[in-house]
Amino acid sequence: MALTTHFSDVLADCRKKNLTLSRYFFEREIAIGDRDEEEILQKMERNLCIMEDAVKRGLEGVESFSGLSGGDAKRMLVYMKEVSPLGDSRYFEAALNAVAINEVNASMGIICATPTAGSSGIVPGVLMAFRNRLNLDRRSQIDFLFTSGGCGILIGNQASLSGAAGGCQAEVGSASAMAAAALVEAAGGSPEAAGHALAISLQNLLGLSCDPVASLVEVPCINRNAVGAVNAIVAAEMALAGVKSRIPVDEVIQAMGSIGRMMPVALRETALGGLAQTPTARRIEKQLKEKGKVDLDKI
Amino acid sequence: MTIFQSVFDIIGPVMVGPSSSHTAGAVRIGLAARSIFEEQPDEVDITFYGSFGHTYKGHGTDLAIIAGLLGYTTESVEIRHAYEMAKEAGMKVSIETSEEISEHPNKARVCMKKGGRSMCVSGISTGGGLIEVTEIDGFNVHMSCDEPVTLIFHRDRPGLIARVTHILGDENVNVSQMEVSRKGRGERALMLLATDNPIPARALRSISLVEDVGPIIFLSSLSASTLSCKED
C-alpha cells in the first residue's frame, strides 16, 4: 500500500476497495510495521485503557503540579449531575472528559499523548461521551482511535502537530479534526463525510495561538480541550447532515501549516506574547519562579 | 515530508504529564545518563539551560530527570516523589540553572559521581519525548537512544577503528551508524556503534583485547513500554 499523506488519495483508495477509514489505516499500520494484527490491536487497546483511567482520575479531582489548575472536571461533573447543563448533556460530557484528562496531565498523572500531551483530552473525550449512544463495542472503540490516529498522520505530515511549530491550531485544532472524522465514521457516515467533518472542524480553529501562562500546559490549554471536543461534535453532526466543506480537506490542512509558519514566534509556545504576557500571567510566572508553586489567592 | 508513519506516533506515547518535551524528554535524559554511567550515582549535579532553566519547576523537569537517574521511566507515576526517592536511595542531588546560551532551548547537563568515578552527560529534548545525548564525558556525540548503541572508549591511533570493525565483520555484524569523537590527536577517543544485530559476547571480548581499547558500554534502547490494561 502506497503511503500517501493526502486525504484525497486515502478517500480514493477507500472507495476503490470499499474500506472504512479505520480499516484503511489499520491495514496501513500492518503494512509499514513489523508487528502483527494482534499486537497492533493490543497496543491500541492499552492506549484506550490509559485514556479511560485518566478520565476516571480527573473526575475524582486532581490539582496541577504548579497549583495553577485542577478540580474543574469534578466541578463540571457535579454541575452535570445536580444542575444539568443547558445544552445536550453529551456535548457537556465530552467537554468534561476532555478537561479531566488534561487536568491529569497537568498533575503529572499518566496520559496518552493524542496527538500531544496538551491536546490529549479531545479524542478520548469525544469517544467516551458517545460510545454508549452509538453502541460501540471494544473493537469499534479501537477503530475510532485508528481513524483519529490515521487522520493525525495526514495532518502532521502536511502541516504540523506541534505548538512550537504551528501554534495551538496544530495541537487542539488537529486533535479536534481527528475526533470529528472518527465520530462521523462511528456514527455510520461515509469516509467522504468524515473528510468534510475533518475540514470543517479544523477550519473553525485556524489561527489559534499557543500562548500558555508561565509556559505551563494548563491555561488556556485545559479549557481549550473542552472547546476542541465540542467543536469536533458540531463538525461531525454538520457533516452527517450533509454539509460539505467548500475548501477540500487537504487544502485546509495545508492552510493550517501555512498559517503556522506565518505565526510570530511569540505566539508559538514561547510564552512571550498573548495571554502569557498579561499582567496576571506575569505575576503568576514570578510567583512560580520564587516559590515553586502558585498560590491562587495571592495573584 | 513524511515525519509520521505509524498511528502510534499520533496516539501515544503513554507518559506522565504535563509536557512531552519538558517532562517525558527529561526522564529519558536522566535514564540515558544513568545507563551511560552504568550504575546509580551517589551524587549528581544537574544544570538546566534555556527553556529548561526557565520553566523546570512548573513542568517538574527536575523531578523527571532525577527519576530517570533513579531508573524510573516516562510512565512512572512516582516521578512526582523524585526528591524523596533520591534521598531514600542515597543519591545527593543539586540543581542549578545556567544563562549560558545553549545550542538547543531544552538542554540539561548531568554530572555524576560515585566512589572515585565521575562523568558528565548532556542531553537535549527535541520534542514529543524524543531526546539526543550531545555529550558523554567531554566527547561531542549525537545519540538518539532509540536503538541499541555500543560505546567503545579508546585511544586515538591509526588502524584501531579498522581493527574493531574487522572483528564485527568477521562475526557478520552490520554497522548501521557510527560516530567517532576524540579529545585531541593521539588522545582519548570515543566510538559509538549502532548495529543491525546485537554484538555477540565473543566479539565484544575480542574488541576489549585490542590494544588501547576500554571500557566498552552497551546501551539498550529507551523506548520500552511496560504498562498494561488494568483488570476491572
Side-chain angles (χ1 to χ4, degrees), chain A residues 235-299:
Chain A
E237 300 241 51
M238 289 169 78
L240 286 166
V243 176
K244 290 184 164 67
S245 167
R246 295 283 174 253
I247 307 295
V249 53
D250 291 310
E251 292 182 33
V252 175
I253 294 172
Q254 287 156 16
M256 188 269 274
S258 142
I259 293 168
R261 286 187 293 276
M262 289 180 207
M263 213 179 252
V265 174
L267 300 179
R268 284 193 269 135
E269 215 180 328
T270 53
L272 295 173
L275 273 179
Q277 285 302 319
T278 54
T280 305
R282 284 191 205 159
R283 282 199 298 278
I284 289 171
E285 194 168 5
K286 187 161 171 267
Q287 206 182 63
L288 202 61
K289 207 161 188 180
E290 285 165 1
K291 299 187 181 140
K293 190 138 184 141
V294 181
D295 185 346
L296 292 175
D297 296 329
K298 290 185 186 155
I299 46 173

Side-chain angles (χ1 to χ4, degrees), chain A residues 87-129:
Chain A
D88 179 84
S89 66
R90 237 169 253 114
Y91 278 72
F92 197 72
E93 197 183 330
L96 86 87
N97 288 342
V99 169
I101 290 185
N102 246 252
E103 285 188 335
V104 168
N105 180 54
S107 76
M108 296 191 80
I110 290 184
I111 54 100
C112 177
T114 313
T116 61
S119 59
S120 56
I122 295 166
V123 168
V126 171
L127 169 59
M128 289 173 68

